[in-house]
């Protein structure tokens, strides 16, 4: 499943592959945190983990800009969809996609 995460961003030359790979690593770490939980997380805990992941991605904004790219609305959609795939794969069907990236700064 994780092979396809952010595939549209990798396919779009506007987004530097090296930075998209780093974003993907953040999302994979988010997935591992959810998968390694000894008990099910509450929705609030999922959103808290998502917020921490998005903070890390927010910090990448200058790197994208340095390479004449950006974390734009399209990137936000791709990232939110990837995070949604992760939570749904783990059985969290009530999570709202927009809530996963609500603290984005892009």
């Amino acid at each position: 499943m994780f092979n396809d995460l952010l595939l549209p961003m990798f396919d779009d030359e506007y987004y530097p592959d090296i930075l998209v790979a780093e974003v993907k690593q953040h999302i994979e770490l988010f997935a591992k945190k959810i998968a390694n939980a000894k008990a099910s997380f509450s929705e609030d805990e999922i959103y808290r983990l998502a917020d921490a992941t998005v903070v890390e991605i927010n910090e990448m904004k200058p790197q994208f800009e340095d390479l004449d790219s950006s974390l734009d609305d399209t990137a936000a959609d791709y990232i939110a969809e990837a995070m949604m795939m992760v939570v749904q794969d783990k059985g969290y069907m009530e999570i709202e996609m927009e809530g996963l990236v609500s603290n984005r700064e892009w």
Side-chain angles (χ1 to χ4, degrees):
M1 176 194 117
F2 294 133
N3 292 335
D4 294 338
L5 286 179
L6 303 178
L7 194 57
M9 285 182 78
F10 280 112
D11 288 342
D12 190 332
E13 291 180 16
Y14 179 68
Y15 304 107
D17 285 350
I18 192 163
L19 296 180
V20 176
E22 190 174 334
V23 170
K24 183 178 177 181
Q25 288 176 336
H26 288 297
I27 295 172
E28 288 173 340
L29 183 58
F30 168 69
K32 286 179 185 176
K33 289 176 184 176
I34 294 171
N36 291 335
K38 296 195 186 320
S40 292
F41 284 114
S42 69
E43 285 185 26
D44 288 341
E45 290 168 319
I46 294 292
Y47 288 125
R48 192 179 75 251
L49 287 172
D51 286 349
T53 301
V54 172
V55 165
E56 294 169 348
I57 296 170
N58 284 341
E59 292 171 358
M60 296 179 63
K61 184 178 176 180
Q63 293 172 274
F64 275 86
E65 291 169 353
D66 286 347
L67 296 176
D68 296 324
S69 184
S70 68
L71 287 168
D72 55 11
D73 289 341
T74 302
D77 290 343
Y78 292 143
I79 292 167
E81 287 171 9
M83 293 177 76
M84 193 68 182
M85 285 173 46
V86 166
V87 297
Q88 287 182 340
D89 183 63
K90 302 303 178 196
Y92 297 97
M93 301 303 187
E94 301 301 318
I95 300 294
E96 293 183 19
M97 186 164 54
E98 184 59 34
L100 292 172
V101 294
S102 63
N103 66 329
R104 73 180 186 272
E105 296 175 1
W106 21 274

